[in-house]
Amino acid sequence: MHRLRLLSRRAGYWEPVRLVMRVRQIGLRRVIPELPNRIARKVRAYVLVPIMRRRVGHREFRCDGTSYRYFVHSYNGTWRNERCVEMPLALEFAQSSGDGQMLEIGNVVRHYDPSLNHTVVDRYDIRSDVINADIEGYAPAEPYGGVLSISTLEHVGWDEEPQDADKLARVLASLHRLVSDPEQVLVTMPIGYNPWLDEMIRCRNMPFRSETFLVRRGSTLWLEASAEEALACRMNAPYDGANALYVGRGLVPLVSGSPREEALS
């Protein structure tokens, strides 16, 4: 039975199924113009994967004092964007959180490892194993052992209609209610995409115990940097995708008796 569930989940992330999901999300009329470029990118990615594994897959980057190997995968051509550094962090975190004990905000990690058996909340990814809900209103019966989010939360409040400048701050502040151990939280977000997020980082208004900044210094080179260096970067310049990444780990403990603690209790 477990093997059948695993095969079924893997089938759900097969490229033709992903295409069907894309049609369900944005409609056939908007998908048709994408098809030529989509197919070309996919073919190119499959061809390049063996080459990039030899060129990039053995190299390492450092994040928060630990070395990781760059992640090479055909989906989204990870060597071309921030996924090459996000996924090693995410997969290590997912494995340490325990099977089924983790909440992921945004359906990202299963595209690279469909065998993972955790809860996913994604407002827009319409799949049978994904909870389609706004994370601000999501209320689990019990908190999770860990919370993970990869390049998702930067969209909160910004890519919504109407826009809400305060929503991201509210969602980040409410992460405490979703996790039993505040240390077991990992969040990555690109810098230079959402100006409200950038301002929160600049003003040191983020709720994470540990902050690391990764800056892209070459097509396949990421280095740790200061907050100032990261905030000077922009999306899609000079490289496609994120040129700087925010990595937040753990949550700052709530102050006993504070209005924020009482609001979340």
Side-chain angles (χ1 to χ4, degrees), residues 189-233:
M189 291 176 280
I191 291 172
Y193 179 81
N194 180 338
W196 300 328
L197 167 62
D198 293 353
E199 187 62 19
M200 289 177 64
I201 295 172
R202 185 175 289 109
C203 295
R204 303 183 66 83
N205 287 334
M206 302 295 281
F208 301 101
R209 176 187 53 77
S210 168
E211 297 180 320
T212 306
F213 298 90
L214 296 174
V215 171
R216 197 174 182 182
R217 296 304 189 195
S219 60
T220 55
L221 176 65
W222 289 78
L223 300 173
E224 286 185 305
S226 67
E228 291 73 21
E229 290 175 301
L231 287 166
C233 296

Side-chain angles (χ1 to χ4, degrees), residues 13-44:
Y13 290 87
W14 184 39
E15 184 59 29
V17 178
R18 287 189 177 117
L19 181 59
V20 171
M21 293 298 104
R22 183 71 171 159
V23 171
R24 292 180 66 185
Q25 289 164 16
I26 69 173
L28 183 60
R29 288 187 177 181
R30 291 175 60 188
V31 168
I32 288 175
E34 296 180 351
L35 284 178
N37 286 335
R38 185 185 182 100
I39 293 170
R41 287 197 307 268
K42 181 57 62 176
V43 171
R44 184 171 181 266

